Amino acid sequence: MTLAMQILFCLILILLAAFFAGSETGVYRLSRFRLRLGIQQHRPMYSLLAKIISDSHGLMLSLLTGNNLANYLVTSLVTYMLIRYGDSQHAAEAHATMIMTPILFLFGEILP
């Protein structure tokens, strides 16, 4: 896998983590009144959304698992890239942590 593909995969994983975090926040902020009103007005997206959140525990489990999986994969990929391109194993782990923590916090948790 080339360096460009690895960086692209990292960006995709960061966007995926942002999607899961944003979806989690969206589920918590969802107005149940507006959802019922949309269902009564026969809007198809509201019906689909009601179906999705009917199993709220399963939805939250899926969102949190997806977010953690994306975070672990992108951090592991960055660690692999640092090991492959010159750092020792311990230095690569420390550098990957220092690099990915602010990036994932800002772009994966705060902005979405």
Side-chain angles (χ1 to χ4, degrees), residues 50-84:
K51 242 185 251 185
I52 289 171
I53 67 167
S54 65
D55 180 21
S56 61
H57 295 293
L59 177 62
M60 281 289 117
L61 179 67
S62 299
L63 291 174
L64 292 173
T65 302
N67 193 7
N68 282 328
L69 188 61
N71 289 340
Y72 291 143
L73 285 175
V74 72
T75 305
S76 297
L77 183 58
V78 169
T79 305
Y80 168 75
M81 289 167 51
L82 290 173
I83 290 172
R84 185 171 179 205

Side-chain angles (χ1 to χ4, degrees), residues 11-76:
L11 292 175
I12 290 170
L13 286 170
I14 291 170
L15 289 175
L16 197 60
F19 169 76
F20 285 124
S23 297
E24 178 188 355
T25 304
V27 168
Y28 283 126
R29 297 288 306 159
L30 179 68
S31 169
R32 305 291 186 216
F33 175 73
R34 284 186 175 213
L35 181 64
R36 278 184 271 145
L37 187 63
I39 291 170
Q40 289 174 353
Q41 293 174 350
H42 302 292
R43 294 185 177 170
M45 294 307 265
Y46 284 88
S47 300
L48 178 64
L49 185 59
K51 242 185 251 185
I52 289 171
I53 67 167
S54 65
D55 180 21
S56 61
H57 295 293
L59 177 62
M60 281 289 117
L61 179 67
S62 299
L63 291 174
L64 292 173
T65 302
N67 193 7
N68 282 328
L69 188 61
N71 289 340
Y72 291 143
L73 285 175
V74 72
T75 305
S76 297

Side-chain angles (χ1 to χ4, degrees), residues 1-20:
M1 186 184 289
T2 64
L3 179 62
M5 288 190 61
Q6 290 172 346
I7 292 172
L8 178 67
F9 195 53
C10 285
L11 292 175
I12 290 170
L13 286 170
I14 291 170
L15 289 175
L16 197 60
F19 169 76
F20 285 124

